[in-house]
Amino acid sequence: MAVCVAVIAKENYPLFIKTIPTENELKFYYTVHTSLDVVEEKVSVVGKNNNELRELYLGLLYPTEDYKVYGYVTNTKVKFVIVVESSNTSLRDNEIRSMFRKLHNSYVDMLCNPFYTPGEPITSKTFENMVLSMM
């Protein structure tokens, strides 16, 4: 389903990036990096409407010719980015939301580990296995 999953820190550096094995992995890193501008734009627009609760799921950030990039921001400003193939039209918005919920829950479980220091790269095998199950 997903071809790339990334967890980006509040300060916009990657905590975790996993891609499908391909000769073009650098393209996914570039796609994730460029999606951060769109994430910041969407978060700042939502931040101006203080009357409404902030929606964590940002939806489709942008489509490319081969992929669609979706975003999600936690309350602590940690960003999740999932890249899926554009040809995979069977994915619905609810399925993408479900993927982000699963990713967020696994991230919270990983944060509860007393040996993990927040802001450090994610090396949890449990978290990585959950991400691999989404791919």
Side-chain angles (χ1 to χ4, degrees):
M1 293 176 53
V3 293
C4 179
V5 176
V7 178
I8 309 297
K10 177 181 175 182
E11 296 83 13
N12 289 337
Y13 61 88
L15 296 174
F16 180 87
I17 295 182
K18 192 71 172 177
T19 64
I20 58 169
T22 177
E23 67 278 348
N24 229 353
E25 288 182 33
L26 189 59
K27 180 178 180 178
F28 293 125
Y29 283 72
Y30 177 73
T31 301
V32 168
H33 182 72
T34 56
S35 69
L36 294 179
D37 292 333
V38 181
V39 169
E40 292 299 324
E41 182 180 316
K42 285 193 173 202
V43 168
S44 68
V45 167
V46 173
K48 291 179 182 175
N49 301 333
N50 290 334
N51 302 352
E52 302 172 16
L53 291 175
R54 187 165 66 87
E55 175 70 27
L56 300 177
Y57 175 65
L58 300 175
L60 180 66
L61 299 177
Y62 66 90
T64 65
E65 56 194 39
D66 298 325
Y67 305 103
K68 290 182 180 177
V69 183
Y70 293 90
Y72 183 95
V73 178
T74 67
N75 287 328
T76 57
K77 304 275 195 286
V78 173
K79 300 151 197 83
F80 300 141
V81 176
I82 295 179
V83 182
V84 298
E85 291 180 336
S86 290
S87 61
N88 193 351
T89 57
S90 65
L91 283 178
R92 292 190 171 87
D93 199 50
N94 288 340
E95 293 171 351
I96 298 292
R97 284 178 186 264
S98 171
M99 290 170 69
F100 278 118
R101 265 193 305 275
K102 187 176 174 184
L103 185 63
H104 192 176
N105 289 337
S106 185
Y107 176 74
V108 169
D109 289 345
M110 187 268 319
L111 276 178
C112 290
N113 181 350
F115 299 107
Y116 175 73
T117 305
E120 294 291 314
I122 298 171
T123 57
S124 168
K125 291 293 179 192
T126 306
F127 184 81
E128 185 174 353
N129 288 338
M130 188 283 309
V131 169
L132 288 173
S133 74
M134 291 174 27
M135 299 178 119

